[in-house]
Amino acid sequence: MSEFNTLSAMGLTDVNAISHYKLSRQDNQEVLKVYFKRPAGSAMPDSSTFCFDCNTVVPADAEAASQSKDNGGSDPVLIAAVNELNALNKSMSNHDRRMQLVNELDRLEQIMAAKLQELREDLNRIV
């Protein structure tokens, strides 16, 4: 567990339950959403969301300026968490990764089908 200190500090103690993560930017925040593998009917959450403010502080010296430029102003905790999540992701077997991608594709297909149906219904109401 010692290799995932940042994730543990964020409350993600069971790293084996992590399936994948997504990183996005909203307004002046970077949002890290971590997804978990849960059995059907589990009362545990399917994901956890963490928000990090974008760094707008002016660096005090050349070294700090270089570091800030290299990480795009991202929070150091976020960078450490993403590095740990990437290391965890690399340790997943190809079969696990493949299943994760298949599940993600299935989910996206369901979302797109529902949205297309909604648009068709709206179009039929107009005509």
Side-chain angles (χ1 to χ4, degrees):
M1 186 66 84
S2 63
E3 66 180 300
F4 303 111
N5 292 332
T6 305
L7 295 176
S8 294
M10 293 169 62
L12 303 174
T13 53
D14 185 10
V15 294
N16 294 323
I18 296 173
S19 67
H20 64 287
Y21 73 93
K22 292 193 180 196
L23 188 60
S24 62
R25 190 176 285 244
Q26 294 177 343
D27 299 324
N28 288 333
Q29 289 188 325
E30 290 177 296
V31 179
L32 174 65
K33 189 164 187 176
V34 180
Y35 296 88
F36 306 105
K37 299 175 257 186
R38 301 282 191 222
S42 172
M44 300 292 290
D46 291 333
S47 64
S48 289
T49 304
F50 304 92
C51 297
F52 299 88
D53 289 330
C54 293
N55 187 4
T56 57
V57 176
V58 177
D61 58 22
E63 183 179 341
S66 172
Q67 225 174 11
S68 179
K69 187 176 184 180
D70 290 343
N71 67 24
S74 295
D75 188 300
V77 174
L78 173 63
I79 293 169
V82 168
N83 287 337
E84 290 179 12
L85 288 165
N86 286 338
L88 183 63
N89 195 26
K90 284 181 183 176
S91 69
M92 289 176 65
S93 71
N94 282 341
H95 177 72
D96 290 343
R97 181 71 177 137
R98 185 179 190 292
M99 290 307 299
Q100 174 189 344
L101 291 172
V102 167
N103 290 338
E104 184 74 10
L105 282 171
D106 289 344
R107 188 182 69 79
L108 287 173
E109 285 176 349
Q110 290 172 351
I111 292 169
M112 291 302 297
K115 186 62 177 177
L116 288 170
Q117 182 64 32
E118 178 185 327
L119 291 172
R120 285 188 180 102
E121 289 170 1
D122 288 349
L123 184 60
N124 287 336
R125 278 187 230 129
I126 292 173
V127 176

